[in-house]
Amino acid sequence: MTTIAIVDYGIGNLRSAEKALQFVGADAFLTSDSARIAAAEAVVVPGVGNFGACMSALQAGGLAEVVRDCATSRKPFLGICVGMQMLFDGSDEAPRVPGLGVLKGNVKRLSDSERLPHIAWNTVAVSPDSRMFSGLGKNPWLYFVHSYAAVVTEESVTTHWTSYGHRFVCAVESGNVWATQFHPEKSGSVGLSLLENFVKAAS
Amino acid sequence: MRLIPCLDVDAGRVVKGIKFVEIRDAGDPVELALRYGDAGADELVFLDITASSDGRDTMLAVVEKVAENLFIPFTVGGGIRTVDDARRLLRAGADKVSFNTAAVNDPDLLARSADEFGEQCVVVAIDARRRNSSDPSAGWEVVTHGGRTPAGLDALEWAVEVCRLGAGELLVTSMDRDGTKVGYDIELLQEVGAITNVPVIASGGVGTLDHLVAGAVEGGAQALLAASIFHFGAHTIAEAKAHLALAGVEVRPV
């Protein structure tokens, strides 16, 4: 069984991610221990709420470095929601707090022309040859809860898109790093299939 | 459009019978939650109506079990009085918590909760009653304790205030319509929608599939909550979604 460390830095509902990964056959466990994170075959970083609060909590737990190391290694890595946002250079939500800088770009607030937070199931326009969305069709439905989203400035990164007020990147694949603005662990059978793809990539 | 069945839980058991086609009500919230999940519900709300504190721990165990097996979002409301109460439920696996009476008594509780968990976790349930049942221009008052106690607040002003404090979503229940099956209070939904900028969940009064359509199209709600129409087997989630889709409302296919 593939060992997957879910980075526990005291933020949010981590149980869902753990249970969902276990459901699709991974040996997933919550941990705040750098050594266990480094030793796992794959790493998942969830996150909800405020970008600055999440980054501070990650740093306070002494976990920012190991998370960055894992993301820049060849180890399969999945960031979810604010766990995706933290991979970028920074966020308008907390302008003075740098992100992990693993992916190029910044996180911006969604258009105020729509009700925020964006809480909804949306269809995702999947880019061709996606490993993350393999077997899920061209326009799968996934569950979103957020007010910010990444603006990706790196062309080599595969981007998947959805719309709320305007189009935005809702998932990326860049080598070993996968990240989703939506919550696969809360997106029913489609989300579970996506997590299964991640577990397969890690085994 | 999200379609949200609501389950009332008392001391760990679902009350109000729930009947799925050819399956007898087991009263087990975990079992019923999973069935609604499989049937295509977009989200679930559990309302803990337990009076005793022992029952609250039971609810925590229910939430843990639901979270182990249900992979769609769910909100827990009822009797959440403190940030600690909310934290326990979120840690147990709830995605959102819904505040009602406690927010009226201690509005700052919303700010403290939003600070700690993020506004996306903070739902405020507003139980609203018309001042004049036939004249929406007379406005709505907030009521608590299942509609028995007027809170001395104007529902629309309260909606604005809770958003300012940190509500990420409003669960707006018409106490005039709740349990009547005559449809949502459309004017109430319109008014709340017009003065706030967070998602609004329509609640109270659904008796037919057309009522769901009205909540979305006329009421302008972002999510539709219903209980008895699903629980008693009158309609399935699939039928409701098909009906909404026919009316031009975008829904996630079952």
Side-chain angles (χ1 to χ4, degrees):
Chain A
M1 253 203 286
T2 312
T3 57
I4 300 183
I6 300 165
V7 180
D8 181 0
Y9 54 108
I11 296 274
N13 171 5
L14 303 172
R15 182 181 283 266
S16 312
E18 181 189 27
K19 297 298 169 192
L21 285 160
Q22 289 169 351
F23 192 87
V24 297
D27 175 14
F29 52 90
L30 302 177
T31 180
S32 51
D33 177 349
S34 297
R36 288 191 78 198
I37 295 167
E41 289 168 279
V43 172
V44 173
V45 179
V48 294
N50 181 284
F51 180 94
C54 284
M55 273 309 302
S56 304
L58 199 61
Q59 266 145 4
L63 297 170
E65 200 174 324
V66 68
V67 166
R68 190 189 288 110
D69 287 350
C70 289
T72 52
S73 73
R74 299 179 63 180
K75 186 180 292 197
F77 184 101
L78 175 63
I80 299 173
C81 197
V82 181
M84 167 177 181
Q85 296 176 6
M86 289 193 295
L87 291 170
F88 290 85
D89 296 316
S91 170
D92 285 356
E93 191 176 15
R96 293 180 182 183
V97 181
L100 295 168
V102 172
L103 298 172
K104 296 291 156 226
N106 273 284
V107 178
K108 308 271 185 201
R109 191 168 167 86
L110 296 172
S111 164
D112 282 320
S113 65
E114 301 292 328
R115 288 171 187 274
L116 296 179
H118 172 218
I119 305 179
W121 291 78
N122 274 42
T123 54
V124 173
V126 175
S127 292
D129 304 322
S130 167
R131 296 170 71 205
M132 184 194 289
F133 288 97
S134 171
L136 295 181
K138 281 184 181 163
N139 295 109
W141 289 78
L142 290 126
Y143 182 78
F144 291 79
V145 187
H146 64 126
S147 297
Y148 291 80
V151 176
V152 183
T153 55
E154 207 170 332
E155 290 201 354
S156 61
V157 173
T158 301
T159 52
H160 310 286
W161 296 73
T162 194
S163 287
Y164 188 67
H166 54 84
R167 285 177 84 235
F168 66 89
V169 172
C170 66
V172 297
E173 292 171 60
S174 175
N176 63 308
V177 175
W178 295 7
T180 66
Q181 183 57 62
F182 52 77
H183 288 269
E185 79 283 12
K186 285 287 163 185
S187 296
S189 56
V190 169
L192 292 173
S193 300
L194 188 149
L195 292 174
E196 206 170 1
N197 286 341
F198 179 70
V199 175
K200 275 186 206 149
S203 50
Chain B
M1 184 57 51
R2 287 172 285 148
L3 200 53
I4 308 177
C6 178
L7 307 176
D8 287 357
V9 179
D10 185 2
R13 303 291 288 176
V14 174
V15 293
K16 289 184 183 171
I18 294 188
K19 192 177 101 186
F20 281 85
V21 179
E22 293 182 13
I23 300 169
R24 266 186 193 284
D25 167 24
D28 175 16
V30 181
E31 229 173 88
L32 293 166
L34 297 187
R35 254 181 232 153
Y36 273 125
D38 289 343
D42 295 310
E43 200 171 318
L44 293 179
V45 168
F46 293 92
L47 189 59
D48 185 8
I49 59 167
T50 311
S52 71
S53 54
D54 293 0
R56 302 242 168 263
D57 290 339
T58 313
M59 190 63 200
L60 217 49
V62 167
V63 169
E64 280 181 12
K65 272 212 182 122
V66 169
E68 274 179 30
N69 298 290
L70 181 76
F71 300 110
I72 60 170
F74 67 98
T75 301
V76 180
I80 303 172
R81 292 186 178 84
T82 64
V83 172
D84 279 346
D85 289 346
R87 189 186 301 112
R88 272 193 288 275
L89 288 163
L90 294 168
R91 286 263 167 91
D95 297 285
K96 299 184 257 188
V97 285
S98 169
F99 297 91
N100 192 338
T101 306
V104 170
N105 295 337
D106 173 18
D108 187 59
L109 171 62
L110 300 175
R112 297 196 302 276
S113 300
D115 270 354
E116 178 160 343
F117 314 119
E119 64 177 28
Q120 80 291 334
C121 285
V122 178
V123 181
V124 174
I126 300 178
D127 292 347
R129 190 168 62 195
R130 288 187 177 207
R131 293 202 178 87
N132 178 336
S133 60
S134 56
D135 178 13
S137 69
W140 293 261
E141 59 179 356
V142 176
V143 293
T144 57
H145 302 94
R148 292 191 301 276
T149 316
L153 294 167
D154 177 78
L156 302 182
E157 286 172 14
W158 179 236
V160 171
E161 175 66 2
V162 299
C163 290
R164 189 186 67 77
L165 288 165
E169 197 169 25
L170 301 175
L171 169 51
V172 179
T173 302
S174 162
M175 297 310 286
D176 303 287
R177 301 298 175 84
D178 203 30
T180 63
K181 301 188 180 178
V182 298
Y184 294 122
D185 185 339
I186 297 299
E187 286 91 352
L188 172 64
L189 297 173
Q190 288 171 339
E191 296 282 343
V192 172
I195 53 165
T196 60
N197 203 28
V198 300
V200 172
I201 305 170
S203 161
V206 173
T208 69
L209 298 181
D210 283 335
H211 293 156
L212 294 172
V213 173
V217 175
E218 294 168 49
Q222 283 65 52
L224 305 166
L225 182 137
S228 54
I229 186 177
F230 299 130
H231 297 342
F232 302 122
H235 293 288
T236 63
I237 301 285
E239 285 166 3
K241 286 193 166 181
H243 199 76
L244 284 160
L246 264 181
V249 179
E250 194 183 39
V251 288
R252 178 177 68 111
V254 171

